[in-house]
Amino acid sequence: MKLHLPRRRFLGAAGCVAVAAPRWPAFADAPSQIIVGLAQEPTVFHPLLPHIEVDDGVHMNLFSPLWSIDAKGAFVPDLAENVPDQNNGGLSAGGLTWRVKLRGNAFWHDGRPVTAADVVFTFQTLLDPSFPAYSRKGFEFIEHVEQTGPLELTWRMRKPYAPFHAILASAMIVPAHLLKGVSDTTAFTSKPVGSGPFIWDERVPSDHIRLRANPHWHLGRAGVDYAIIRYIPDVTVMFTQFETGEIDYLGMPGIPPNRYRQALTLPGRQVFRAPQPFVESIAINLARPQFHDIVVRQAIYTAIDKLGILETLFENIESDTESFLPSQSSYYNPDLPKQTFDPQAAAESLDRAGWRRRLGGVRARDGVKLEFVNATTSGNALRQQVQEVIQQNLADIGIIMRIENRPAAVMWGGYWSQSRFDTALVSVDFMTGSDPDASSYFTSDASPARGGAGQNVFQLADSRIDSLFLKANASFDHETRLSYYRTIQSLVRADLPFLPLYQQSNVEGVRTGLTGFESNVNVRSNLWNLARWRWTSSAQ
């Protein structure tokens, strides 16, 4: 049903209201639309190139994967007729050979059919070392891929790799007929052509992107005629526009904690806590001598008033956690030991381990002082408040933490990736897509500072964890993997390469009468099912 929403006006350049008639095709009724507000601007429109979360929100509506993942963590066929597994014959018993058949009613926005050749081209693009891919994770294990029919392809893996299902759920398929042999993709990215629920309509840089419903989408037409994604860099302005009805959905990074209570009282608005896969923590560089002793890491964690921080600074919006996995994951271990704020116990444990207060009150042992730097992105006022609370907590037990924040380009460059930090206040999504595979962060061979390839900036080296990841990623049985991952979480919690503070939540909101919004921790943008959002008759 197309609804006439008289208060909803279309946007022109620089955020102004357009006075000229919209350039729409004819509709039986006035076209329906949803206006989305985001504080970061989508700028990358080739889904295989490096991009950030807000770009994902656009990609998921312009392009299609073989299958997607829903809010419950289930894989849902998209371009593929079904999700291959060892029961339906799509995955060989050993997990090495995959066979995928595409549905026959999917078309690119220019009218060309989607075929197996497009999927093979997408895979080959990601396998090409000269292509600056967003990620090749999992694809490096493909030994051979081939088209075995107009709508069928097979590939063989060098080793069984269970996380590949989750990786493919976020791998958007691109059109071979527009990109094959093309080195300059500027024309494509200025007007991208996908096979998803919306078609590219207009972009005004630094202002908005307008998408229109694809009438031939293979999964059924979207619930509205237009989706407008507005770029509103000031989160206070974005909140005001949500309050006044200028935007219908307030998305990333969400409503600030200091506006949460107010948001709950806004008439005609619904507010949701949208769990994210990101875990905010204090990352520890285990190569530093002051952190070699597990007693020190445990004492630091025990001395932090974690629940006080969550209550005072975050209005209890964020969720306390002890794991690197979000609590919504089916692999999450709920039985990990809980942190208890007990500075006296922390001090006593350090005394017993020989870390005594010296001149100036700073603890030391064997010439090593318990003092270190903590860094994060400069200009983040809320994070700095967290740092200051922790700094005081640690000073109370004789540990000195100096705050030395850095610009983002410096912080997340070699300083972070090459483990040049002492400790860092950081938010990390440890998973591989929606899969619990965190081997890139915790296995011994994944430390760049030690010549490895990965993201083990903690420089953790635990052979038990290495072995469990190998076994978990080679099995396609959920219960088997669950057992391995619960043990991995226990070992990581015991090692404390990072001190978990909380699992992030965005507080997002929609206008009352807009239905279909569903938070999904398995993806990086809650625009994942924008095609299913629609207005009820009460919104007229």
Side-chain angles (χ1 to χ4, degrees):
M1 178 180 179
K2 298 173 183 175
L3 303 176
H4 186 197
L5 306 175
R7 291 188 60 217
R8 218 167 312 300
R9 297 175 293 177
F10 281 80
L11 304 172
C16 299
V17 177
V19 294
R23 292 174 291 143
W24 294 324
F27 288 94
D29 302 313
S32 58
Q33 65 171 2
I34 294 169
I35 301 179
V36 168
L38 300 175
Q40 290 178 293
E41 182 181 14
T43 59
V44 179
F45 307 116
H46 188 316
L48 305 186
L49 291 173
H51 57 273
I52 60 176
E53 292 90 337
V54 290
D55 299 314
D56 278 355
V58 177
H59 298 166
M60 287 188 287
N61 286 287
L62 287 175
F63 297 90
S64 307
L66 292 174
W67 49 82
S68 60
I69 185 165
D70 67 16
K72 294 181 175 61
F75 296 116
V76 180
D78 193 310
L79 290 175
E81 281 191 345
N82 55 39
V83 180
D85 60 37
Q86 292 171 329
N87 294 320
N88 62 24
L91 184 62
S92 66
L96 293 178
T97 301
W98 297 58
R99 174 180 171 273
V100 171
K101 187 172 183 181
L102 305 181
R103 61 176 77 237
N105 63 335
F107 293 87
W108 297 106
H109 296 156
D110 61 7
R112 295 278 291 270
V114 178
T115 71
D118 296 303
V119 184
V120 171
F121 169 74
T122 300
F123 280 29
Q124 290 173 338
T125 299
L126 292 171
L127 288 166
D128 182 355
S130 68
F131 181 79
Y134 162 67
S135 174
R136 302 186 207 280
K137 183 73 171 177
F139 288 91
E140 75 270 28
F141 302 134
I142 293 179
E143 186 175 79
H144 177 70
V145 57
E146 65 176 333
Q147 180 178 347
T148 50
L151 296 174
E152 186 177 284
L153 70 151
T154 63
W155 65 88
R156 182 173 176 81
M157 306 288 281
R158 292 188 175 88
K159 68 176 185 178
Y161 185 57
F164 205 40
H165 274 109
I167 290 169
L168 290 174
S170 61
M172 300 297 155
I173 306 305
V174 296
H177 69 282
L178 294 178
L179 290 172
K180 191 171 186 177
V182 176
S183 57
D184 183 356
T185 61
T186 303
F188 179 80
T189 56
S190 65
K191 192 173 182 179
V193 173
S195 59
F198 288 94
I199 298 171
W200 186 267
D201 192 62
E202 175 188 66
R203 180 189 180 215
V204 177
S206 301
D207 187 75
H208 74 273
I209 294 168
R210 190 169 71 204
L211 309 176
R212 57 187 170 90
N214 176 4
H216 306 296
W217 186 39
H218 51 276
L219 297 180
R221 196 182 187 283
V224 293
D225 301 312
Y226 284 90
I228 297 173
I229 300 171
R230 285 200 60 186
Y231 168 50
I232 309 168
D234 188 315
V235 293
T236 301
V237 172
M238 185 160 69
F239 180 80
T240 300
Q241 292 194 9
F242 177 63
E243 182 180 17
T244 59
E246 294 174 72
I247 59 175
D248 304 310
Y249 164 67
L250 188 153
M252 295 178 63
I255 296 169
N258 62 352
R259 293 294 189 99
Y260 176 56
R261 302 298 170 190
Q262 179 188 355
L264 293 175
T265 66
L266 294 178
R269 306 290 181 271
Q270 294 176 282
V271 174
F272 306 88
R273 286 178 58 185
Q276 305 294 303
F278 300 95
V279 174
E280 184 90 358
S281 68
I282 298 176
I284 295 178
N285 184 349
L286 299 178
R288 297 290 192 259
Q290 59 267 50
F291 301 129
H292 289 175
D293 189 350
I294 182 60
V295 172
V296 171
R297 307 197 298 272
Q298 291 170 337
I300 291 174
Y301 195 31
T302 303
I304 295 173
D305 186 8
K306 183 162 75 163
L307 296 183
I309 289 171
L310 296 182
E311 179 179 357
T312 304
L313 299 182
F314 292 96
E315 298 280 348
N316 286 323
I317 292 171
E318 311 293 9
S319 301
D320 180 22
T321 189
E322 301 295 341
S323 175
F324 57 84
L325 293 180
S327 61
Q328 293 76 19
S329 170
S330 61
Y331 295 92
Y332 174 76
N333 186 345
D335 300 321
L336 300 176
K338 302 294 184 184
Q339 185 260 18
T340 301
F341 174 52
D342 192 339
Q344 182 176 344
E348 290 172 354
S349 69
L350 291 171
D351 287 337
R352 288 193 298 271
W355 294 95
R356 306 285 184 178
R357 288 182 184 263
R358 308 299 183 191
L359 186 65
V362 181
R363 292 181 181 272
R365 187 183 73 180
D366 300 331
V368 177
K369 293 182 178 180
L370 287 189
E371 58 181 11
F372 58 88
V373 170
N374 182 261
T376 193
T377 309
S378 55
N380 188 319
L382 190 56
R383 270 192 175 162
Q384 185 157 338
Q385 286 179 285
V386 173
Q387 287 175 307
E388 290 167 356
V389 171
I390 295 173
Q391 183 182 53
Q392 185 58 58
N393 289 159
L394 298 185
D396 291 342
I397 64 167
I399 298 176
I400 300 301
M401 185 184 91
R402 298 191 304 277
I403 299 170
E404 297 180 8
N405 295 334
R406 290 159 167 77
V410 177
M411 181 69 207
W412 310 120
Y415 181 75
W416 168 255
S417 63
Q418 294 296 322
S419 303
R420 295 172 189 152
F421 62 93
D422 292 341
T423 67
L425 184 57
V426 59
S427 178
V428 177
D429 177 359
F430 291 94
M431 298 193 296
T432 298
S434 60
D435 192 88
D437 177 24
S439 57
S440 176
Y441 287 93
F442 298 127
T443 53
S444 304
D445 61 355
S447 171
R450 295 177 176 173
Q455 302 172 87
N456 182 3
V457 295
F458 318 103
Q459 302 195 64
L460 175 67
D462 188 322
S463 59
R464 300 169 301 171
I465 292 175
D466 296 346
S467 176
L468 286 166
F469 271 119
L470 285 174
K471 294 175 182 177
N473 290 339
S475 173
F476 290 87
D477 179 71
H478 177 79
E479 293 304 314
T480 300
R481 298 191 79 210
L482 177 62
S483 175
Y484 288 139
Y485 269 99
R486 287 199 168 183
T487 304
I488 290 171
Q489 289 170 79
S490 295
L491 292 174
V492 171
R493 173 62 177 80
D495 280 338
L496 288 177
F498 68 95
L499 311 180
L501 298 177
Y502 58 85
Q503 178 190 337
Q504 284 189 354
S505 292
N506 285 344
V507 179
E508 302 183 357
V510 300
R511 181 196 288 265
T512 301
L514 181 58
T515 65
F517 171 84
E518 187 175 11
S519 177
N520 187 346
V521 75
N522 301 297
V523 295
R524 301 200 306 171
S525 168
N526 276 330
L527 297 182
W528 69 283
N529 71 335
L530 181 60
R532 300 308 180 207
W533 298 10
R534 63 189 68 243
W535 294 102
T536 63
S537 57
S538 61
Q540 287 182 292

